[in-house]
Structure formats: C-alpha cells, structure tokens
Amino acid sequence: MNNSKYEAVLFDLDGTLLDTALDLGMATSHVLSLYGFPPISDETARTHASDGMRALLKSGIPESEHHKYDFEAMRLQFLPYYHEHIADRTCYFNGTAELIMALKRHGIPYAVVTSKPDHLACRVLGKFPELADIGVIVGCDTLPVSKPNPEPLFYACRKLNVTPEKCLYVGDHIRDIEAGHNAGMETALALWGYIKDKSNPQAFGADYVAEDFRKLAQIIGVEI
C-alpha cells in the first residue's frame, strides 16, 4: 500500500541508481590511448562521470590542447567500446536494490530520466535484476531536449500517468535539481553520487539531501 506523499519517484541513472563511473572511465581511457594519452584514474572518472562523455574525454587531455581534437569523433569511438563493456565494473550503490524492492512493495511507480543515450541506459539497466524491468526510461535522445529542460520529466510522468507536482526527482548533479524544480517537482540530492564538492550540499538547492539510500527511503516514506 502506498502511504507516501509521492505518486512516483524519478531517478537519474549515473551516480544515482548505479555506480557507472569506472566503466565510463575505462571507455575514456581506451579512446585516449588511440591518441597517445595515458589512462585517466578512477578518481578522475568519478569526478567527471556525471558531466558526460565529452567532459570525461577532455579530462584526459591538457586544456591547452583541446582545440586540436575533434571530440565528437572521439565520442563516436567511445560509444561502441562502452556498449561492449558497459557493466564490467558497474555496480549497485549500497541500498539501490533494496529501495527499488521497497517501492515495488508499496506500489510506488518509478522511472529513470538520464543524460545517457536511451539505448545505453536500457542496456546497463538490463544487466541488474532489480532494475531490468523498469518500464519507463527516458534518455538524453528520447526527446529533442534534455535536462535541465523539464520535458523529459514531464514525458516520464505521462508514461506513468502521474502528476509532476506529486513526484520526487532524485539525482546527483545540479542539472537534475534544476530539471526537477523546472518540472514543479520536489528534489532530492543523492550525496553518494559524483559530486565534486560535498562540503556544501545545500548549494544545489535541492528540497532534500540524502546521505544514503536509507535516508532517501525515509524521505519517500518507505522502509528498506
């Protein structure tokens, strides 16, 4: 039975539901090696994972040399490698599976709204049993616009047949919080995610800050 004040919960993917940084980093290092650059560290991958492929690639090249490279071409080299190695090192965050199961028990619908391309989001989610049956996945290319534009969140709500103002959006990047507020939703900052400076989480402007999934469960109104 759903006793939560929310009709549904929407999640970002990278750095929120799944710890994907190390596979993103490996794909980045693979592409950089083609251009004679050393691999990036796991720490660098975590720092830039939520900023997208282009930011990851730029992190491994001196800024003074960025103008020499076609990052769109590099992104196209990144994609097939990442597709094949998308879950080599990716894993749940502590509590991911338990929260999803709690939402199911309480009959609370949920969806993923991510900056990952749709086919990659579906592929990585399909590797994890508790996430494989998520029916509504909105990627960065599902619609002509992406976060922080609210339309991807509105689209997910229409698919779930819920009211945006009665939903919670959970993410680890400022664009997630902005997208949620632009959609009229309450937001929760996933403090376990890829946040560069965790010393002042209030600076993101989220309605809630969740240190872990247990705290997020309390915000939603379920037990894990």
Side-chain angles (χ1 to χ4, degrees):
M1 182 177 178
N2 180 8
N3 292 318
S4 171
K5 68 175 180 176
Y6 299 112
E7 290 184 356
V9 181
L10 310 185
F11 296 95
D12 175 48
L13 175 49
D14 300 279
T16 300
L17 276 183
L18 289 174
D19 187 358
T20 59
L22 300 188
D23 284 324
L24 289 165
M26 289 296 291
T28 301
S29 294
H30 165 74
V31 176
L32 291 172
S33 72
L34 303 177
Y35 294 83
F37 290 103
I40 64 170
S41 67
D42 289 349
E43 181 181 356
T44 297
R46 290 189 186 281
T47 299
H48 296 281
S50 283
D51 293 325
M53 292 178 232
R54 190 178 297 265
L56 280 163
L57 292 164
K58 285 185 173 181
S59 74
I61 300 173
E63 189 172 353
S64 61
E65 297 184 31
H66 285 179
H67 68 281
K68 299 179 182 179
Y69 296 94
D70 182 346
F71 286 98
E72 179 57 25
M74 296 175 80
R75 190 181 74 87
L76 295 176
Q77 293 169 313
F78 177 108
L79 288 168
Y81 183 93
Y82 182 57
H83 183 273
E84 290 305 313
H85 299 275
I86 201 164
D88 288 1
R89 301 173 74 192
T90 290
C91 59
Y92 287 126
F93 286 106
N94 185 23
T96 302
E98 291 80 359
L99 180 65
I100 292 298
M101 290 187 290
L103 294 177
K104 290 180 181 179
R105 286 197 308 272
H106 289 269
I108 300 174
Y110 50 92
V112 168
V113 182
T114 175
S115 294
K116 234 179 181 59
D118 180 82
H119 73 284
L120 292 177
C122 292
R123 180 170 172 80
V124 71
L125 289 166
K127 299 287 186 179
F128 295 87
E130 286 81 6
L131 305 179
D133 63 350
I134 294 179
V136 178
I137 301 169
V138 185
C140 66
D141 52 358
T142 303
L143 301 175
V145 295
S146 56
K147 299 180 295 185
N149 190 297
E151 284 302 321
L153 279 68
F154 291 149
Y155 179 86
C157 289
R158 289 194 296 271
K159 290 289 185 179
L160 293 175
N161 194 29
V162 295
T163 307
E165 292 78 11
K166 295 182 180 179
C167 294
L168 179 71
Y169 186 49
V170 186
D172 70 317
H173 195 280
I174 187 64
R175 69 168 168 265
D176 299 323
I177 306 308
E178 291 173 349
H181 288 162
N182 290 340
M185 297 181 183
E186 290 192 346
T187 58
L189 179 65
L191 202 57
W192 57 84
Y194 308 138
I195 298 171
K196 295 180 179 67
D197 181 7
K198 298 187 180 184
S199 64
N200 185 24
Q202 287 73 25
F204 284 74
D207 297 287
Y208 303 99
V209 175
E211 297 82 7
D212 52 33
F213 273 93
R214 190 165 299 279
K215 176 62 175 179
L216 180 58
Q218 292 173 0
I219 292 166
I220 296 168
V222 298
E223 292 184 2
I224 61 173

